[in-house]
Structures are given as C-alpha cells and as structure tokens.
Amino acid sequence: MRSDIVKKGATRCAHRSLFHANGFGVDELSRPLIGVCNSFNEIIPGHMHLKSITEAVKLGVAAAGGTPIEFPAIGVCDGIAMGHTGMKYSLASRELIADSVEAVTMASGFDALILIPNCDKVVPGMLMAAARLNIPSIIVSGGPMLAGRLHGRDISVSQAFEAAGKFAAGKMTVDEMTELEAHACPSCGSCAGLFTANTMNCLSEALGMALPGNGTIPAAYTGDRFILAKRAGKVIMDLLEKNICPRDILTLKAFENAITVDMGIGGSSNTVLHLTAIANECGIKIPATLFDEISARTPYITKLSPAGTHHMQDLDEAGGINAVMHELSRKNLLHLDALTVTGTLGERIKDAQINRPDVIHTVENPYRQTGGIAILQGNLCPDYAVVKASAVSEDMLVYKGKAKCFDSEETAINAIMAGEIHDGDVVVIRYEGPKGGPGMQEMLNPTAAITGAGLKVGLITDGRFSGASQGACIGHISPEAMEGGTIALIHDGDIISIDIPNRKLELEVSDEELAERRKAWTKPEPKIKTGYLARYAKLTTSASTGAVLTIRN
C-alpha cells in the first residue's frame, strides 16, 4: 500500500507515535488509509451540512475495511463574493483547493481519496487534484438546495439578484424585496437552479467520477444523501482493490461525454473553463471548438432555471442525469464504453428512464436542436468567447447595438443602477479577465440588474458569468483586454454585432482603424499588486486554455 511509506519499518516509529496521538491503533494502521477531504464551512450554504455527509462517508469506508482520515479544504461562496473585490478570489480559489488537496495527500501518504465538495470552484478544484495525484478517488457532493416558494411559484437566488434591478426600475418595493430574500434560499445545498455548482456536480456523474444522483439528489433529502455518501465510502475500497485511478476514468471519451451532457442540459458557461482545466491535469487538450462541435449535434432537452422554471429537485424527480444520458444515448451521442467508478457508462444507464417528460424532453422533441452553450469567434474574440445560448431569448440571438464601455464591473453596475444603459446598447465590461481582473470575476450583478430592469441589451466581457445569468451575455472573450485583445480597443458608440446561430461576434470597425487604435493602446497598471491575486495574475493562462496556472521563469 502507498501508505506504507508513513507507517511501516523501524524508521517510521515516530510516525506511528503521531498516528497514536490521533487515536489510530495498530489495527487501524494495518488497513488502507483513505483521505476524506471535507470542504465544510459556515459561509457557503452548500457546505454548511458537509460534516454530516463526511461522517456518512467515513462510516462507509470503515464498513468496507478502510481507515478514513478527514482533512479540510477551503471554499468561497460565489453569491456572497459577488459584486465586490471578493469575487476576484473565486476562480483563483480553484487553484488553491487543488494545491491544498495535493499537499495534504502527498504529505500524508494516503492510499485513496474521497473528495467532498459542493459549490462553484470547489468541485473542479477537487477534480483537478484527483487527476493530478492519480490515486483511486471519488467525488461525493452535498447536493442542491431546494427551490424557494413565494406566492405559489418556485424561486431561487436568481430572483434575489434580479431584485436589485427591479427595485432600481421602480418595479419592486423594499417590503417586496425583503419578503423575497427571506424565501429565495430555504435550505442548505448548492443554489437550486442549474448554475455552476450544480452543473459541475452533474458533470461529475457524466465524467464517471461520481455516483448516480450526485448532482441532483437535494441536500435536504438527508436519507438519500447519506446512503449515497456511505456507498461512496464502499466504492472507494473497490477502486483501491482494482487500482482504478482518475486518469483511467478521465479519458477524452469521458470529457466528450461530459460536454455532451452539458449541452443537453444547458449548463453553466463556466464549464468551458473547468472541463478544460481538469483535462489539462490529465494531459488532455480540449480546444474550444470541441464544445461547439458537440453542441451542434446535441439536442437541448432540459430547461432549468435560469433558462426555465424547473429546478434541480425537478430534474432529480424526472430521473436525474442517468435519464438524461440514457435519452441522449438514443442518438448515439455518448461513449457507452467509458469507464466510471462503478463500471461502464452503458451499464450504469441501461435501465434509466424519464419519469417527468415535462422536465426532460425526448431527443425527438427538444427545446432546441442544438446544445445550451455556444462558442463564438470573430474579430472581437480571435481565440473564442462563450455564451449560454439556452438562456438567451429568441429575439436576442441575433443583435446589433452601440457599445458602452466600462473598465471594471463596479463602474458598469453603477451605470446600470443609475439608468444610464438603454435598449439597443451593448455593455462592454473589460479588464476583468484572468490577468486583468485579476481572477476573472463573474458578472451576475450587472446581468441580474439588466434582467430585473427589463432592458433589451447585450453584454460582453473578458470576465465570466454566473450560471444564474441569463440574456445575451457573452464572456471569456480572448485575448483579454489586459493582453491587448480587441475588447480593449472598443470605443463608446462602436457597433457590435452578435450572431449566436452563426457563432459570430464582430466589432464593426475596419482593420485599419483597429491597427491605429492598437498602436495607441497602453497597458494599464495591475489593479492588485500584492498577495495571492498578484501571483495568480502573473502565472495564469488565458481563459481559452482554462485559466490554469503555469510555471514560468
């Protein structure tokens, strides 16, 4: 066993003494040591209950003959970080999470890992660590939040963010806002719509790194979540016995399956960043064009919040991700021979069925014939840009408007709230990319304010969008402004052309004029010059390659 390096031989006398201090006896040290990474904290609603999930996991490990050893990981609540400097730390925390899991695992000599995330960057960060370490590993998440109920309809945090725009537009009173915020988030769990956290938890199933139900069983359904957690504890011992490691599972076929499911369910645009980064840890390069190729052949068969009115509990009731994958397999869109933590994907989904056809449509009757995410290119984004097409209304799929430029999210949101943005505009938020932000902030505050105010505008940015964003919101524009990308050269009043069906994003300015503007452009001073974010800005790559950290001289 790998853990023999910390517990066997005369030179490990002191090591065994330290294990004894932790309460591990001789019999427990004779068993495999299973690292159990618990990302519990009291700031993220999706993580506040992870102590109980962790205890269930440890019971499963012990029952199957292993010795579970718990250790922590950090986590940032994207909702609470939204709209201020804290959001700069969100994407950057993904790298800290991966690094910390690596550090503790290597220092402790664990034989295998059970990783317990739930929200936003914690899920991809832990998957990156699993791929990097390549010892038997499984993901078991905390589950989604239940939708809130207000005046007979389901709501979630999306409506709470949109309330600011409605209030500014005079469409909501203070009392109505107070009532909404008391009902939008009624339980523990990752926010109830198909936002980034829930998308990544679902894609953990599609990748084969999590058990069925991981992405959809509500956190409040404690019995089902505990059973899932205990089963994960038993499965890790089977993976260890068979020496099945993450890179055996995380193949190109697995990533293609995950992208296909992502397109079928209309997941968060952030998955383009995260799947690319996880694949990078496996030595697999995923070009942005692959997302678009898969989108072109994948029908969009669920319409969850923010695109629709259904939430994660509805998807779970409808049959979950297994039902989605079974339906997509009817068009031969999945690699059924891909390995999962419990056999092949084909074996896993063979008996799945759709229990609620109002939630999961058939491939013959999809919401749209193509997938939920679109990759755009053009002179504004020579590398790529990404849009959650499933959350764009039909009348905004093709759109032209006049640019209104802002060099930070804060100045943009101030302008929106002050009524300075009008129908027909394209809001440009730049210098918010991985290097420029730094940290590539999510733009949920401005998109929610625009939605709440009922404005018909486009929004483009070298930052990114929350999975809760909706509308003609195009992010990840690469190269970013801080690297002299075209987005840095836009002037107020320039015409920007958005054509999502034809995958085009163009600035209607001549090449000659752009060349002159480029000569005149001066790179601005970094917004943050000290601490972790300053280091992150120097080491991160472009969004088009996953915004991963590189080693540079």
Side-chain angles (χ1 to χ4, degrees):
M1 289 186 290
R2 185 175 178 277
S3 59
D4 288 349
I5 197 170
V6 296
K7 63 187 185 184
K8 283 197 173 181
T11 60
R12 298 300 183 258
C13 176
H15 301 60
R16 292 189 293 273
S17 179
L18 292 167
F19 275 109
H20 179 87
N22 285 325
F24 294 108
V26 174
D27 57 336
E28 290 166 302
L29 290 184
S30 68
R31 303 168 188 161
L33 302 185
I34 309 301
V36 179
C37 187
N38 176 9
S39 57
F40 160 82
N41 63 42
E42 294 183 342
I43 192 66
I44 310 177
H47 290 228
M48 61 184 286
H49 63 303
L50 293 187
K51 284 183 179 179
S52 58
I53 297 292
T54 301
E55 289 306 311
V57 162
K58 289 158 71 174
L59 283 172
V61 170
T67 296
I69 302 179
E70 182 182 341
F71 67 98
I74 66 162
V76 169
C77 179
D78 277 27
I80 292 173
M82 199 72 66
H84 61 92
T85 302
M87 179 45 71
K88 297 179 186 294
Y89 287 87
S90 173
L91 181 61
S93 74
R94 185 187 70 181
E95 315 304 315
L96 288 174
I97 292 159
D99 290 350
S100 65
V101 173
E102 175 192 0
V104 175
T105 300
M106 294 301 294
S108 307
F110 294 137
D111 295 298
L113 284 173
I114 300 181
L115 301 163
I116 307 174
N118 209 29
C119 289
D120 297 295
K121 311 310 161 298
V122 189
V123 183
M126 287 189 174
L127 282 166
M128 288 167 66
R132 185 185 303 173
L133 291 161
N134 203 36
I135 63 173
S137 303
I138 188 171
I139 293 282
V140 55
S141 303
M145 184 183 291
L146 293 173
R149 292 284 291 175
L150 185 63
H151 304 314
R153 70 185 183 106
D154 288 345
I155 60 171
S156 72
V157 74
S158 288
Q159 285 73 35
F161 274 105
E162 291 165 11
K166 289 185 176 181
F167 178 76
K171 298 179 180 181
M172 177 175 280
T173 67
V174 171
D175 288 344
E176 288 170 332
M177 183 184 293
T178 301
E179 184 182 26
L180 172 65
E181 66 193 45
H183 291 85
C185 299
S187 74
C188 61
S190 43
C191 297
L194 190 61
F195 314 143
T196 303
N198 288 329
T199 303
M200 287 306 303
N201 283 324
C202 289
L203 297 192
S204 297
E205 293 186 43
L207 285 168
M209 288 295 294
L211 295 171
N214 182 74
T216 60
I217 298 172
Y221 295 3
T222 53
D224 289 339
R225 292 302 319 185
F226 290 171
I227 290 168
L228 183 77
K230 285 187 281 189
R231 186 181 173 210
K234 295 175 183 177
V235 167
I236 195 65
M237 299 306 294
D238 183 59
L239 293 171
L240 179 60
E241 181 181 352
K242 295 175 181 176
N243 194 32
I244 296 174
C245 297
R247 290 184 210 165
D248 299 319
I249 296 170
L250 294 172
T251 62
L252 180 57
K253 287 183 177 181
F255 286 103
E256 289 180 346
N257 283 345
I259 295 170
T260 300
V261 171
D262 195 16
M263 298 304 168
I265 63 177
S268 166
S269 59
N270 282 315
T271 56
V272 179
L273 281 175
H274 297 325
L275 290 176
T276 301
I278 298 162
N280 180 70
E281 296 287 353
C282 300
I284 297 171
K285 301 300 180 186
I286 298 182
T289 51
L290 180 60
F291 288 86
D292 217 47
E293 290 168 12
I294 292 175
S295 180
R297 62 176 182 256
T298 306
Y300 170 44
I301 61 173
T302 72
K303 196 171 186 179
L304 306 180
S305 174
T309 57
H310 293 131
H311 293 81
M312 296 306 296
Q313 65 208 65
D314 298 298
L315 181 57
D316 186 63
E317 186 179 334
I321 295 302
N322 270 9
V324 169
M325 290 193 288
H326 184 271
E327 187 60 26
L328 293 173
S329 73
R330 293 181 54 238
K331 284 194 70 174
N332 298 316
L333 294 171
L334 298 173
H335 301 289
L336 299 182
D337 59 339
L339 187 63
T340 77
V341 291
T342 54
T344 67
L345 186 69
E347 293 167 343
R348 174 179 286 197
I349 68 172
K350 62 180 172 48
D351 296 323
Q353 61 182 13
I354 297 172
N355 299 324
R356 281 186 57 182
D358 61 317
V359 177
I360 304 175
H361 283 201
T362 64
V363 292
E364 291 85 10
N365 181 38
Y367 286 98
R368 287 180 184 167
Q369 294 294 336
T370 56
I373 292 174
I375 302 296
L376 310 184
Q377 289 185 301
N379 68 346
L380 242 177
C381 49
D383 291 344
Y384 91 127
V386 63
V387 60
K388 187 172 181 176
S390 59
V392 180
S393 61
E394 295 290 337
D395 63 341
M396 290 294 290
L397 291 171
V398 179
Y399 176 83
K400 282 188 181 183
K402 291 184 178 181
K404 285 198 174 177
C405 300
F406 304 93
D407 289 348
S408 70
E409 182 196 13
E410 292 81 4
T411 55
I413 189 68
N414 289 341
I416 295 166
M417 297 300 288
E420 297 171 10
I421 304 301
H422 308 287
D423 287 352
D425 290 339
V426 176
V427 179
V428 179
I429 305 178
R430 58 194 176 191
Y431 297 104
E432 291 290 7
K435 295 178 183 298
M440 204 178 181
Q441 295 190 98
E442 285 186 344
M443 303 293 165
L444 180 54
N445 267 7
T447 61
I450 286 168
T451 300
L455 292 168
K456 186 176 180 179
V457 301
L459 194 159
I460 68 171
T461 181
D462 52 6
R464 58 195 177 89
F465 294 109
S466 164
S469 294
Q470 57 181 307
C473 305
I474 300 167
H476 304 206
I477 288 179
S478 301
E480 63 175 286
M482 200 66 172
E483 292 189 316
T486 307
I487 190 172
L489 311 179
I490 303 172
H491 289 179
D492 284 346
D494 286 347
I495 300 299
I496 293 172
S497 173
I498 299 168
D499 188 344
I500 294 171
N502 290 306
R503 305 302 197 249
K504 288 289 185 181
L505 179 62
E506 297 282 347
L507 176 63
E508 295 190 354
V509 171
S510 70
D511 292 343
E512 293 77 15
E513 173 64 18
L514 283 178
E516 290 300 315
R517 293 183 187 182
R518 187 164 278 110
K519 287 179 185 177
W521 176 76
T522 302
K523 185 175 182 177
E525 285 290 308
K527 294 177 183 175
I528 293 180
K529 299 180 181 180
T530 60
Y532 175 62
L533 285 179
R535 297 196 302 275
Y536 178 89
K538 289 181 179 180
L539 294 175
T540 187
T541 65
S542 166
S544 63
T545 53
V548 296
L549 299 189
T550 58
I551 300 172
R552 299 179 183 176
N553 294 325

